[in-house]
Amino acid sequence: MVHRLSRRTFLRAAGATVCGAIAMPGCASDTGSPGAPGFRARAHPAADEWKNRIGLATGGDDPGRNARTAIEKLCGKDGVRTFVKDGDVVVVKPNIGWAQVPEMGATVDPAVVATVVGLCLEAGAAKVKVFDNSVGTDAKCYQFSGIEAAARQAGADVFLCARHRFRKVAFDDPRCKRLTEWPIYEDVLTADVLINVAIAKTHNLCYVTLCMKNLMGTQGGDRGKMHQELAQNLVDLNVTIRPTLNILDATRVMVAGGPSGGRKDQVVAARTVVVGTSSVTVDCWAADPANLPWPKGHHDLAAVEFVARGAEAGLGTADADKIEVSA
Amino acid sequence: MAKRKKPRHPLHVLRIISQLVFFGLFLVLLVSTALGTAVTARPWLAHVFLITDPLILVGMVLAGAFTTALLAALAVVALSLVLPRAYCGWICPLGTTMDIVDKLLFRKRDRSKNIAPRLRQVKYALLTVLLVLAVFRLGVFGWFDPLCIVTRSFGVAVYPMADHVAKTSLVAAEESGIGAAADIYDWAAGAGLFIRDANFKEGARGIGYPWSFTFAALLVAIVLAQAYQKRFWCRNLCPLGAMMGLLGSVSPLRPRVSDKCVACGACRKRCKVGAFEPADGQERYRCLVQECISCYACEREFCPVDAIHVGAAAPRVRPAPGVLPSRRAFLGSAATGAVFAPALLLDQRTRNKAETNPMLRPPGAVRPDTEFLSACVRCGECMRVCPTNALHPSGIENGIAGLWTPTFVFNIGYCEYFCGITKEDVEQERLDKPANLCGMVCPTGAIRQLTHAEKIAHKIGTAVFDHSRCLPWARGEECLTCEEQCPLPDKAISHRYEDVANLEWLAMPQPERHRYEELEAKESLTADERAELDAMPPKSKHIARPYVLRDRCTGCGTCENVCPLDGASGIRVERLQTREIRATSSGGP
């Protein structure tokens, strides 16, 4: 008996094979080969000169205005225009890490994010993207933090990270001592300007979490694996991914139970926003118990290892006296 | 083959429309409620097909696990009393799936010789066995209930698989530089067509479930069995169809064959469910109302002499001979059920393990676990709406009777702290609303609805450290990822700094270790000796070691989920101790 392959059978088999073939490579790898360049802040004449400088705004009931003021203190009357040019694509990376309402102080105040988005658009940005690779269930975090709604209303493009858009980045700077590569979200790598917006909280492993640790929200992969020698890993990350601006929202400071929080009585109003070009310098100022209401005896500045190591790597200063505060 | 077919009966056209509408509704609800999307406001959307299932209603009554929501099934009972098995022909998503596949694959296949009339009795036997098992408080009829099958197969297998293939294809296209693929991906994700992959452990793309291959394979087997007979499952096996057929016996509406019949057998050959057969001792055919699914194809399309009419007639309640199994066969199947039941219950694993080592059940699952096994119909609803993909069908770890009941796999997902409530609910402190999606969609109440306050207090299990794996415990490396991500406002994991063995020191050759200890013991060291000692790795490290605070821990599994170890986590959720179950408010004994 001769079996003949009918056209229908053949087409079906061929169709199935093609579909399979299309699907297979997608299953195989997550992130492509390493080597994409890390994000570098676009060169600004003052960037290095400003490494030890921070802008500070404090007081009042309007976190948005504090953010605007702090940026102006750092940059002068040009404000964010110093960095954002016409037609730029700007990524604003706030802490949207946890499913908590803003009053819990686990995520950045939505007004701060909305203000930063608005300033970038005013400065002529073609597009402002707002996202975070949340720690908790991301859609919940976006909703509970209030950032999704506020940023969208301010005109930003807000989206959840798509799992396949993390690109392996080689951590090849000689100052990287532990990490050799890590997947970083594509939009961070292609942006013209990256603005890192962190919140001030205590952290169970490294005393405090501020701007340097906030950058972990650009990372994919298994970030639990960042927690072994966390301080050095954070330096490696901050050496490789260099935000244009680092904004620390200390409108509220979570003084216990960090970083996830969930109790209002662990949140202290500090009504402060700090801005700098160096995440290390901003963190140095913010980690200092003299500047923010960290609980007595919780830590001293010298104990915050990621700041010390970040300064060693030349990213900023760990010396509180060297910080030029313009308030 | 037939010439141009005769025009369809208007009700035939209407029936096709109904099938497509209900199937469309089924798919839309399936897609829109996956992983809890859109369920928060209207949880019934997720289980409307299940709570209207009369077999679940009857089964739960027999199993002593009745809940009022199941009274919705009375609507379908009423339908069956008037239009026998119209549900099968007009509504059932599994039936429509079969019809669609039949049209695609078997349209030209001649199956007119495959009559096998006795096979159709199997469904009554199966129904009998399953209901007897229900009396013994085993909800295993969900294995065979068509709506459970279709929910499980589509929700826990077909949709996640299709989602995965669609995503991986688009991703592959995007990565090979086809820009449109990225746009399509974003559009589909924005339109909610994709299952949102929450930020699960690395490597996860799309969502997945153990057993999904089996669920898909069962669906494929059901639709491909049509190669032998159209609607093979509905004719011969479906226990719900059997029940509806029996209810329909009293219906006055049925196809009747008039005296005009010339016994050509065309109806028997073409009827989708083989509802026609020769009447005993007469030169004509008759229609078996228990088999007829009211598809309205026969009246105008099958009969060359227009002998079939669908309309009212005095019901002939007693089924025609050969429809039901013989009394002997009926008693035999009841006996089979009665033998299976204790066998399943006495299965060493079911009885012992359900009581002494129950699985990690969804929050609100009735306790003890033996009660859960009677109330759960294994439909998979809870698994497909779990927002972090943490609930999965279990295997036979707890005995055969526990097959496909939900259990947590914390390596994949975790029990979301703010599961079924919104930001507004939290801000306005509306915390008395149901807050566990799994409980909100459970059709039978096997998983009870918990308020947010109840849910966050509910103990699923307790996390315990595996000191041979946990990084700070086993290797002296810093970590505390579990503590960091414990979602409780008063964290159930705490730490303290301890001196722990430094593995680098232990790895030194023994003489060097001796030398180290020798120097260490000296009261004063010379500069050289100090340098020598400093050059060696220290004997111990001062690092933070985590501890579980058992009384606080609710067993949500976040810690197990986020542990950076590959493979088994260094912290795992175990079942509660009996006294802990007693202590928890929503637990029951």
Side-chain angles (χ1 to χ4, degrees):
Chain A
M1 191 173 163
V2 182
H3 285 284
R4 279 177 43 202
L5 189 64
S6 73
R7 188 182 327 166
R8 179 183 295 256
T9 314
F10 171 76
L11 286 176
R12 274 187 198 155
T17 313
V18 168
C19 291
I22 291 173
M24 286 316 283
C27 308
S29 88
D30 230 4
T31 40
S33 55
F39 178 86
R40 301 278 190 273
R42 188 170 46 202
H44 178 268
D48 245 359
E49 201 181 305
W50 290 4
K51 205 165 71 176
N52 291 354
R53 213 169 125 182
I54 59 167
L56 173 67
T58 189
D61 283 328
D62 185 352
R65 212 185 62 187
N66 278 347
R68 180 190 291 263
T69 312
I71 292 170
E72 280 168 7
K73 294 287 180 195
L74 177 76
C75 310
K77 65 173 174 24
D78 276 353
V80 89
R81 277 173 220 275
T82 315
F83 302 100
V84 178
K85 303 298 176 201
D86 255 357
D88 275 356
V89 174
V90 179
V91 165
V92 175
K93 207 305 283 181
N95 185 330
I96 323 178
W98 309 89
Q100 299 285 5
V101 294
E103 294 70 36
M104 296 298 184
T107 48
V108 170
D109 193 297
V112 171
V113 181
T115 303
V116 173
V117 169
L119 290 173
C120 292
L121 288 172
E122 277 170 36
K127 196 171 206 178
V128 181
K129 302 176 183 177
V130 173
F131 59 89
D132 188 10
N133 186 12
S134 304
V135 178
T137 310
D138 47 10
K140 287 266 169 203
C141 301
Y142 275 52
Q143 189 205 35
F144 275 60
S145 66
I147 291 172
E148 181 175 29
R152 196 161 279 156
Q153 199 179 357
D157 186 8
V158 187
F159 50 85
L160 302 170
C161 292
R163 310 313 302 161
H164 65 283
R165 291 189 184 144
F166 290 93
R167 303 276 168 239
K168 249 176 213 168
V169 168
F171 281 37
D172 49 8
D173 190 290
R175 291 169 292 178
C176 293
K177 292 193 180 142
R178 273 183 53 86
L179 305 181
T180 54
E181 62 178 41
W182 203 285
I184 302 288
Y185 205 65
E186 187 177 73
D187 296 64
V188 169
L189 304 173
T190 55
D192 296 307
V193 172
L194 172 63
I195 301 181
N196 181 27
V197 191
I199 180 157
K201 301 187 279 187
T202 56
H203 192 279
N204 63 320
L205 180 60
C206 50
Y207 300 109
V208 289
T209 163
L210 304 160
C211 290
M212 286 177 75
K213 191 160 188 308
N214 190 52
L215 263 196
M216 282 178 66
T218 64
Q219 290 180 289
D222 183 355
R223 289 173 293 174
K225 293 189 167 68
M226 285 287 285
H227 287 71
Q228 292 76 51
E229 298 191 37
L230 178 65
Q232 186 57 48
N233 291 338
L234 287 182
V235 172
D236 292 2
L237 174 64
N238 277 265
V239 160
T240 310
I241 306 294
R242 299 277 294 277
T244 317
L245 268 184
N246 294 279
I247 302 180
L248 183 79
D249 170 28
T251 304
R252 304 173 186 86
V253 177
M254 187 196 288
V255 295
S260 54
R263 288 179 56 147
K264 284 182 190 164
D265 59 3
Q266 293 170 339
V267 179
V268 172
R271 299 188 174 86
T272 300
V273 176
V274 197
V275 184
T277 55
S278 155
S279 55
V280 174
T281 305
V282 173
D283 285 7
C284 175
W285 184 89
D288 192 338
N291 298 324
L292 288 179
W294 304 116
K296 255 197 164 50
H298 184 264
H299 67 275
D300 56 34
L301 182 54
V304 182
E305 201 186 341
F306 57 81
V307 169
R309 287 187 184 232
E312 274 169 39
L315 292 173
T317 180
D319 184 346
D321 298 336
K322 287 201 180 137
I323 303 177
E324 307 154 29
V325 182
S326 60
Chain B
M1 216 34 225
K3 303 133 262 176
R4 174 69 215 132
K5 282 186 253 167
K6 294 190 213 167
R8 286 170 171 156
H9 194 292
L11 285 172
H12 181 169
V13 178
L14 200 60
R15 186 260 299 172
I16 293 176
I17 295 172
S18 162
Q19 280 191 294
L20 293 176
V21 166
F22 278 103
F23 191 61
L25 180 71
F26 174 78
L27 292 181
V28 166
L29 292 182
L30 185 93
V31 168
S32 63
T33 59
L35 293 207
T37 336
V39 182
T40 311
R42 285 174 290 277
W44 56 270
L45 285 176
H47 65 204
V48 64
F49 280 93
L50 290 159
I51 56 171
T52 50
D53 178 342
L55 179 59
I56 295 184
L57 170 65
V58 172
M60 286 296 109
V61 169
L62 293 178
F66 168 76
T67 49
T68 46
L70 293 175
L71 288 178
L74 290 178
V76 174
V77 170
L79 175 72
S80 306
L81 289 173
V82 182
L83 288 166
R85 297 193 71 177
Y87 187 91
C88 316
W90 290 57
I91 299 175
C92 179
L94 187 59
T96 307
T97 311
M98 277 183 257
D99 286 352
I100 291 170
V101 173
D102 185 71
K103 278 271 176 291
L104 291 175
L105 295 183
F106 304 129
R107 200 172 30 192
K108 292 186 181 156
R109 195 178 175 89
D110 180 13
R111 290 160 283 183
S112 58
K113 300 242 166 28
N114 305 337
I115 291 173
R118 281 176 62 83
L119 212 50
R120 67 181 180 227
Q121 296 175 354
V122 173
K123 59 181 177 291
Y124 296 100
L126 184 58
L127 175 67
T128 310
V129 173
L130 295 176
L131 293 184
V132 169
L133 288 174
V135 171
F136 282 88
R137 313 208 63 200
L138 287 165
V140 295
F141 60 83
W143 290 339
F144 298 96
D145 179 278
L147 295 165
C148 291
I149 290 174
V150 81
T151 306
R152 239 176 6 232
S153 293
F154 276 92
V156 183
V158 174
Y159 181 33
M161 287 172 172
D163 176 78
H164 180 81
V165 169
K167 279 179 190 157
T168 44
S169 310
L170 285 171
V171 168
E174 183 181 332
E175 277 166 4
S176 56
I178 303 170
D183 296 337
I184 296 172
Y185 187 102
D186 289 338
W187 172 81
L193 293 177
F194 286 160
I195 301 176
R196 172 71 199 145
D197 0 338
N199 30 356
F200 311 130
K201 256 190 165 168
E202 185 183 20
R205 176 183 298 154
I207 61 164
Y209 303 87
W211 292 100
S212 60
F213 179 80
T214 310
F215 298 154
L218 284 175
L219 184 68
V220 168
I222 285 173
V223 297
L224 291 189
Q226 297 192 108
Y228 179 67
Q229 288 176 333
K230 273 190 186 177
R231 293 267 195 150
F232 179 90
W233 163 268
C234 315
R235 285 188 194 206
N236 305 318
L237 298 174
C238 181
L240 178 59
M243 181 185 272
M244 287 172 168
L246 287 177
L247 289 170
S249 298
V250 302
S251 166
L253 281 175
R254 57 185 65 199
R256 282 175 300 138
V257 183
S258 74
D259 296 342
K260 283 197 270 179
C261 173
V262 293
C264 68
C267 50
R268 184 181 214 186
K269 279 183 191 158
R270 293 183 57 190
C271 174
K272 215 189 268 193
V273 288
F276 290 94
E277 64 174 23
D280 305 321
Q282 295 172 46
E283 276 299 297
R284 55 188 277 194
Y285 275 68
R286 66 180 169 210
C287 177
L288 305 170
V289 67
Q290 291 80 7
E291 304 295 321
C292 171
I293 60 171
S294 306
C295 77
Y296 291 98
C298 52
E299 178 165 338
R300 293 206 185 158
E301 295 157 52
F302 295 174
C303 184
V305 294
D306 289 331
I308 306 173
H309 293 284
V310 183
R316 185 172 170 275
V317 175
R318 194 177 178 78
V323 170
L324 295 180
S326 64
R327 184 174 309 159
R328 180 184 293 255
F330 171 75
L331 290 174
S333 30
T336 308
V339 171
F340 270 173
L344 286 173
L345 283 170
L346 284 174
D347 173 1
Q348 185 82 9
R349 300 176 185 209
T350 309
R351 201 164 188 80
N352 285 345
K353 295 210 174 157
E355 284 169 11
T356 63
N357 192 22
M359 324 208 59
L360 297 168
R361 295 294 189 197
V366 292
R367 285 172 175 158
D369 213 49
T370 41
E371 297 281 314
F372 184 76
L373 288 176
S374 66
C376 170
V377 291
R378 291 91 168 137
C379 62
E381 273 293 331
C382 51
M383 305 164 200
R384 63 177 207 85
V385 301
C386 177
T388 69
N389 194 207
L391 286 174
H392 294 267
S394 61
I396 56 169
E397 302 92 315
N398 257 10
I400 293 165
L403 182 68
W404 302 344
T405 52
T407 190
F408 276 113
V409 179
F410 288 131
N411 220 10
I412 299 176
Y414 49 88
C415 188
E416 165 65 38
Y417 189 80
F418 289 114
C419 178
I421 60 170
T422 61
K423 179 186 187 230
E424 288 69 34
D425 295 332
V426 172
E427 281 179 337
Q428 293 161 26
E429 302 197 340
R430 288 189 306 235
L431 302 180
D432 51 347
K433 294 178 24 179
N436 55 335
L437 286 169
C438 47
M440 288 153 80
V441 301
C442 178
T444 64
I447 309 170
R448 291 175 308 115
Q449 298 189 352
L450 302 179
T451 65
H452 179 64
E454 285 171 332
K455 186 201 162 292
I456 61 174
H458 178 89
K459 274 183 179 288
I460 296 161
T462 312
V464 291
F465 279 106
D466 180 345
H467 289 182
S468 66
R469 290 185 58 76
C470 170
L471 290 174
W473 282 98
R475 294 197 231 159
E477 289 180 33
E478 69 176 21
C479 185
L480 299 190
T481 309
C482 51
E483 182 190 1
E484 175 187 45
Q485 302 202 21
C486 175
L488 302 183
D490 294 312
K491 287 180 184 289
I493 300 174
S494 188
H495 68 264
R496 66 171 193 178
Y497 280 84
E498 292 175 14
D499 285 327
V500 305
N502 182 1
L503 300 186
E504 280 177 53
W505 185 87
L506 288 167
M508 287 197 300
Q510 201 175 29
E512 287 179 38
R513 278 181 279 149
H514 278 311
R515 176 68 180 151
Y516 183 101
E517 285 174 332
E518 202 177 285
L519 293 172
E520 197 185 26
K522 278 194 174 178
E523 278 182 15
S524 62
L525 294 175
T526 66
D528 282 353
E529 284 170 335
R530 164 59 56 194
E532 190 186 352
L533 187 61
D534 286 347
M536 288 192 270
K539 192 176 179 181
S540 58
K541 284 172 147 177
H542 196 62
I543 61 142
R545 269 182 168 171
Y547 290 82
V548 173
L549 307 173
R550 256 194 105 91
D551 292 343
R552 287 186 187 172
C553 177
T554 59
C556 73
T558 307
C559 50
E560 181 172 340
N561 183 257
V562 301
C563 175
L565 285 177
D566 300 322
S569 294
I571 181 166
R572 289 194 297 274
V573 178
E574 292 193 343
R575 75 151 295 193
L576 296 174
Q577 296 302 308
T578 314
R579 64 192 168 90
E580 287 173 313
I581 296 176
R582 294 220 174 90
T584 138
S585 57
S586 52

